[in-house]
């Protein structure tokens, strides 16, 4: 049976690719965007106006979908923004905006979707997190923290919902060629900042690396595989080999040696 699927943040990046993939497979897909009018109208799915940081719109969003379909089978928590900057010089307001988008907003959507999933005694929630949620990357600490929060949120939620036949899965991608560069907020530093030279160099390196990264269709294919699976895992990690192996190295190496490897990699 085709699924009714809600994807937050589906106007670009992973969300758009996932929405296109799942809708072409015959599923009924609804994506969200703060400003859907800025984007071409999707051919096979509906892009609904929704601000995940409003904390007022999620119930209406869910009610609109349920009124048409009587159910939501799959929720994909994908909306997010990138953020970089030395912790000493970042704005607290920027930090709050990152967590509202990458973490708190998703809790609000989940709380609105769960009553209908519990009523139907089935459902799947997929959190698109990040390999960055497994590591404290220098100058990306706030983004890493927001994604780590989603990882633990997903683990706990999966246990809470087990009795209702609802599964929760975390998919952590590494670097992929998406619009995250354009949607990422890089803290602007003055040239006399103690961090200016090393931070500016790293931002340039990240931009170059992302522009040459892997095709995000790999993530969409994995999402579809998880949806079709009768017994999916709780955690999936996907991306470049070195990024995936870094998670294993962190588990087996002494912490100071591992951190020194990271610092050498980033030339700190």
């Amino acid at each position: 049976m085709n699924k009714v699927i809600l994807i937050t943040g589906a106007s670009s990046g992973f969300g758009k690719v996932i929405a296109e993939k799942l809708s072409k497979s015959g599923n009924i897909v609804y994506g969200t965007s703060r400003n859907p009018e800025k984007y071409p109208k999707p051919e096979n799915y509906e892009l609904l106006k929704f601000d995940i940081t409003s904390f007022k719109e999620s119930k209406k969003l869910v009610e609109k979908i349920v009124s048409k379909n009587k159910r939501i089978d799959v929720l994909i928590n994908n909306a997010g923004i990138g953020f970089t900057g030395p912790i000493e010089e970042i704005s607290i307001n920027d930090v709050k905006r990152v967590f509202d988008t990458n973490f708190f907003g998703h809790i609000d959507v989940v709380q609105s979707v769960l009553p209908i999933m519990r009523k139907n005694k089935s459902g799947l929630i997929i959190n698109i997190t990040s390999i960055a949620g497994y590591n404290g990357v220098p100058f990306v600490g706030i983004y890493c923290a927001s994604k780590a929060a989603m990882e633990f949120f997903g683990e706990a939620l999966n246990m809470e919902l087990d009795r209702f036949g609802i599964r929760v899965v975390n998919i952590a991608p590494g670097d992929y060629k998406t619009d995250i560069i354009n949607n990422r907020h890089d803290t602007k530093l003055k040239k006399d900042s103690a961090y200016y030279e090393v931070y500016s160099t790293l931002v340039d390196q990240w931009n170059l690396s992302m522009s040459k990264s892997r095709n995000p269709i790999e993530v969409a294919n994995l999402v579809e595989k998880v949806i079709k699976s009768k017994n999916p895992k709780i955690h999936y990690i996907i991306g470049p080999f070195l990024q995936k192996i870094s998670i294993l190295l962190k588990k087996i190496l002494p912490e100071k040696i591992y951190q020194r490897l990271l610092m050498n990699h980033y030339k700190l």
Side-chain angles (χ1 to χ4, degrees):
M1 184 174 63
N2 294 333
K3 304 289 187 180
V4 178
I5 301 172
L6 171 59
I7 307 171
T8 62
S11 57
S12 62
F14 287 131
K16 180 180 179 181
V17 178
I18 294 169
E20 290 174 345
K21 172 76 176 178
L22 297 180
S23 60
K24 288 178 181 178
S25 298
N27 298 291
I28 302 170
V29 177
Y30 295 90
T32 72
S33 172
R34 281 192 177 96
N35 301 292
E37 66 278 358
K38 290 185 177 181
Y39 302 92
K41 186 177 180 180
E43 292 184 10
N44 301 308
Y45 65 96
E46 192 171 348
L47 193 60
L48 303 175
K49 184 175 179 63
F50 174 66
D51 180 359
I52 198 169
T53 65
S54 70
F55 302 102
K56 297 177 181 178
E57 302 175 12
S58 62
K59 288 185 179 180
K60 291 182 179 179
L61 172 70
V62 170
E63 287 172 357
K64 182 175 183 178
I65 297 172
V66 173
S67 68
K68 293 182 179 180
N69 304 279
K70 308 302 180 186
R71 69 188 199 276
I72 294 177
D73 301 305
V74 182
L75 167 64
I76 302 176
N77 289 317
N78 169 76
I81 54 174
F83 180 76
T84 70
I87 291 175
E88 182 180 348
E89 299 192 24
I90 57 178
S91 162
I92 292 299
N93 287 333
D94 286 338
V95 174
K96 291 178 179 178
R97 183 165 65 94
V98 171
F99 268 82
D100 280 350
T101 306
N102 293 3
F103 182 56
F104 295 119
H106 293 300
I107 296 176
D108 186 49
V109 176
V110 166
Q111 289 177 333
S112 296
V113 168
L114 281 180
I116 188 65
M117 287 187 172
R118 285 193 296 100
K119 181 180 178 181
N120 293 332
K121 298 180 180 179
S122 68
L124 172 65
I125 297 172
I126 299 176
N127 298 319
I128 305 299
T129 63
S130 173
I131 284 180
Y134 287 82
N135 280 308
V137 179
F139 303 109
V140 196
I142 300 304
Y143 178 78
C144 294
S146 70
K147 291 299 185 178
M150 281 298 289
E151 285 284 339
F152 288 109
F153 164 73
E155 287 183 8
L157 188 62
N158 186 58
M159 291 184 280
E160 292 178 16
L161 300 179
D162 181 72
R163 70 181 66 185
F164 305 114
I166 303 169
R167 300 298 302 270
V168 183
V169 173
N170 295 328
I171 295 179
D175 288 345
Y176 280 87
K177 191 175 182 179
T178 68
D179 297 331
I180 192 171
I181 297 176
N182 300 323
N183 296 330
R184 189 183 70 208
H185 175 76
D186 296 322
T187 303
K188 304 301 180 184
L189 302 185
K190 295 180 180 179
K191 289 190 175 181
D192 61 356
S193 166
Y195 305 97
Y196 181 83
E197 185 174 344
V198 63
Y199 172 64
S200 300
T201 299
L202 283 175
V203 168
D204 290 341
Q205 290 178 358
W206 289 328
N207 289 343
L208 180 62
S209 175
M210 292 291 290
S211 68
K212 298 179 179 180
S213 294
R214 302 162 73 100
N215 191 329
I217 192 64
E218 293 179 0
V219 177
N221 291 338
L222 176 57
V223 169
E224 185 174 57
K225 178 182 176 181
V226 168
I227 291 173
K228 291 181 176 180
S229 175
K230 292 183 179 180
N231 187 30
K233 298 190 297 183
I234 300 171
H235 295 282
Y236 292 84
I237 299 169
I238 182 171
F241 173 77
L242 287 178
Q243 292 183 339
K244 290 192 292 183
I245 200 67
S246 69
I247 298 174
L248 175 61
L249 291 176
K250 185 176 183 180
K251 292 179 179 179
I252 63 177
L253 290 177
E255 59 184 8
K256 289 188 176 180
I257 292 177
Y258 177 76
Q259 192 163 88
R260 179 52 59 186
L261 288 175
L262 276 185
M263 293 176 70
N264 288 340
H265 175 74
Y266 292 112
K267 297 180 173 57
L268 298 179

